[in-house]
Amino acid sequence: MSTIVVAGEVDFAPEKRDRALEGAKPLIDMALAERGCKHYAWTLDPHDAGRIHVFEEWESAEDLQAHLEAAPYQKMLAHLSGFDILKADTRKYRVECQEPVYGADGVATARFAVDGAPE
């Protein structure tokens, strides 16, 4: 079973962005309580006054699918639609391998030990 990561951006008019995220907090809290939800973070972009970054991590595709069919997700769509989304680009990734960025030696690496990189 692979971890699923959802990452993306949702753009609003700058004057609507903060209110859109503030009103979404109870729905984000509900998602965090769902089975298989490891992370569910929506954050303001410090460089783009209209952008919210989305990051979610799910234990499995089945858990993500259950979330997408659940009431909190449907309520989130309805909530965000009230703030006139300008653009939304979210992507899902199936994670087949996961390792820490920093090795036991304290050095950061982009290589994976399973690919023969020194541990």
Side-chain angles (χ1 to χ4, degrees):
M1 187 178 323
S2 300
T3 295
I4 305 296
V5 169
V6 175
E9 306 81 36
V10 183
D11 293 339
F12 300 90
E15 66 275 8
K16 295 181 179 182
R17 177 194 72 172
D18 290 5
R19 286 184 295 128
L21 186 57
E22 287 167 12
K25 185 178 181 331
L27 301 167
I28 292 168
D29 290 341
M30 291 169 85
L32 283 164
E34 291 179 33
R35 183 193 70 208
C37 184
K38 295 170 147 182
H39 298 284
Y40 200 97
W42 289 49
T43 58
L44 302 176
D45 185 316
H47 304 288
D48 185 327
R51 179 163 288 169
I52 293 173
H53 288 277
V54 177
F55 179 83
E56 304 173 20
E57 186 177 358
W58 295 90
E59 288 184 11
S60 69
E62 293 78 18
D63 292 333
L64 174 57
Q65 187 63 43
H67 165 69
L68 296 173
E69 294 171 0
Y73 178 78
Q74 299 305 318
K75 289 178 182 178
M76 178 68 89
L77 291 177
H79 168 73
L80 295 178
S81 296
F83 292 91
D84 304 319
I85 296 170
L86 300 177
K87 181 181 172 197
D89 183 16
T90 54
R91 299 153 308 274
K92 62 183 181 258
Y93 302 89
R94 184 173 44 232
V95 180
E96 303 298 334
C97 180
Q98 184 173 299
E99 294 180 12
V101 172
Y102 289 86
D105 58 2
V107 176
T109 181
R111 294 190 265 333
F112 286 85
V114 296
D115 295 332
E119 293 186 43

